[in-house]
């Protein structure tokens, strides 16, 4: 069954230099996108903070189609236009004629969500028009949260989190071997020094979900806060080194009035306890 994602826009980047142009700006080699494989990436600030993430798809005519959050699309288009300079590249918002469709089980024309090659986030496709039914959107968000995958457009403000705090490393969104990209120096330094102590992490609880923004605490100690949530699970932005120490000591975590516990996916890179 197809799920249309109305909160996504499509930017078309075309021309012989399109791939090289984007590769010099974003965290991953989007030029590697093909009709069988999409690529996850992000545009960062010079300080290494996330402006917007994106999924790059390859169109049949060779153009790159950037699947981006709708409320960040125009800002991204403006930034790309500024960076284009004299390059022979075509930039356009084609959201009026294209839309993002997700299937929980892939089929011909769909590519596995690059953040989750194991299929837990289904497969994505750029369609020429929106499907008639959109009633599974809530189910899709629940699937994402239960998989432990944050959506930066929902779970963080523009330039609120650093790339590695947004789990770009775990979600295959950054290539540490590629050439330069905006913010690369800071990303590489955080990776090399293992200084990423605050991260998005899945939490679990019983009963009703805590409110968005509910503080996560251990006694009087503030550890972070809740972001998007569904039944039994939520995405929280936390100081994970401190939260692990609390859990290991047998103490409890609270999100408002709700008892919560860390529930990190097996693939999440956890910081060492006792980090400064």
């Amino acid at each position: 069954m197809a799920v249309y994602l109305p909160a996504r826009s499509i930017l078309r980047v075309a021309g012989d230099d399109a791939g090289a142009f984007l590769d010099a700006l974003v965290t991953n080699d989007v030029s590697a996108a093909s009709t069988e494989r999409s690529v996850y990436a992000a545009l960062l600030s010079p300080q290494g903070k996330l402006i917007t993430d994106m999924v790059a798809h390859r169109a049949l005519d060779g153009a790159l189609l950037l699947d981006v959050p709708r409320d960040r699309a125009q800002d991204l288009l403006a930034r790309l236009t500024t960076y284009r300079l004299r390059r022979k590249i075509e930039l356009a918002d084609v959201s009026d004629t294209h839309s993002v469709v997700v299937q929980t089980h892939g089929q011909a024309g769909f590519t596995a969500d690059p953040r989750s090659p194991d299929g837990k986030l289904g497969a994505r496709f750029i369609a020429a028009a929106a499907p008639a039914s959109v009633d599974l959107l809530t189910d899709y968000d629940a699937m994402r949260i239960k998989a432990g995958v944050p959506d930066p457009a929902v779970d963080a403000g523009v330039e609120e989190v650093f790339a590695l705090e947004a789990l770009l490393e775990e979600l295959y969104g950054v290539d540490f071997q590629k050439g330069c990209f905006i913010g690369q120096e800071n990303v590489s330094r955080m990776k090399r020094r293992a200084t990423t102590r605050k991260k998005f992490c899945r939490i679990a609880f019983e009963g009703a979900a805590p409110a968005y923004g509910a503080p996560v605490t251990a006694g009087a100690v503030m550890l972070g806060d809740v972001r998007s949530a569904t039944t039994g699970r939520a995405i929280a932005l936390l100081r994970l080194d401190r939260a692990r120490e609390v859990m290991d000591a047998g103490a409890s975590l609270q999100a408002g009035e709700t008892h919560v516990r860390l529930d990190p996916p097996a693939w999440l890179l956890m910081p060492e306890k006792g980090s400064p």
Side-chain angles (χ1 to χ4, degrees):
M1 299 182 70
V3 184
Y4 162 53
L5 302 184
R8 307 293 291 185
S9 288
I10 305 298
L11 302 184
R12 183 176 184 273
V13 186
D16 293 341
D17 293 336
F21 165 68
L22 289 171
D23 286 347
L25 300 175
V26 302
T27 57
N28 213 343
D29 283 315
V30 297
S31 57
S34 69
T35 54
E36 291 80 35
R37 174 179 176 264
S38 53
V39 176
Y40 185 54
L43 179 69
L44 309 179
S45 71
Q47 293 74 35
K49 291 193 171 184
L50 194 145
I51 294 171
T52 186
D53 66 343
M54 65 194 74
V55 178
H57 305 258
R58 182 71 67 177
L60 292 176
D61 65 0
L64 285 164
L65 300 176
L66 304 183
D67 159 3
V68 300
R70 184 171 294 275
D71 63 358
R72 301 189 185 184
Q74 291 307 305
D75 177 63
L76 176 59
L77 182 61
R79 291 174 188 268
L80 294 180
T81 300
T82 298
Y83 290 130
R84 178 178 57 183
L85 300 175
R86 296 181 181 275
R87 289 177 181 261
K88 295 181 179 180
I89 295 171
E90 300 173 13
L91 299 170
D93 185 335
V94 294
S95 304
D96 288 344
T97 54
H98 295 71
S99 59
V100 180
V101 179
V102 170
Q103 286 228 346
T104 54
H105 300 286
Q107 64 180 42
F110 285 70
T111 60
D113 190 309
R115 299 169 297 171
S116 181
D118 60 6
K120 289 185 177 179
L121 288 179
R124 298 173 87 91
F125 179 67
I126 304 300
S133 174
V134 297
D135 58 351
L136 294 179
L137 181 60
T138 300
D139 291 342
Y140 174 76
D141 281 339
M143 179 173 68
R144 171 185 67 79
I145 295 165
K146 289 179 178 177
V149 176
D151 179 349
V154 175
D155 297 319
V158 175
E159 297 189 45
E160 179 184 0
V161 294
F162 288 102
L164 301 190
E165 293 175 345
L167 311 189
L168 257 67
E169 180 177 6
E170 291 94 331
L171 299 176
Y172 311 101
V174 58
D175 183 348
F176 293 99
Q177 307 304 317
K178 75 188 291 289
C180 292
F181 57 86
I182 298 172
Q184 182 190 35
E185 182 178 351
N186 192 292
V187 174
S188 297
R189 182 170 60 249
M190 291 180 73
K191 167 68 172 175
R192 186 173 63 252
R193 297 180 180 177
T195 55
T196 309
R197 298 181 290 273
K198 181 175 70 173
K199 282 189 172 188
F200 286 118
C201 181
R202 186 176 61 194
I203 58 174
F205 48 86
E206 305 298 331
Y212 189 103
V216 177
T217 58
V221 179
M222 174 77 168
L223 299 175
D225 58 81
V226 175
R227 302 302 167 102
S228 54
T230 188
T231 303
R233 296 290 186 275
I235 301 295
L237 185 60
L238 300 171
R239 271 294 300 258
L240 286 179
D241 54 338
R242 295 176 180 170
R244 290 181 70 191
E245 291 174 350
V246 169
M247 296 293 289
D248 289 350
S252 63
L253 301 178
Q254 292 281 134
E257 300 298 318
T258 304
H259 289 284
V260 302
R261 64 183 184 276
L262 293 183
D263 184 32
W267 46 259
L268 186 65
L269 300 173
M270 298 289 282
E272 293 294 330
K273 291 177 287 185
S275 301

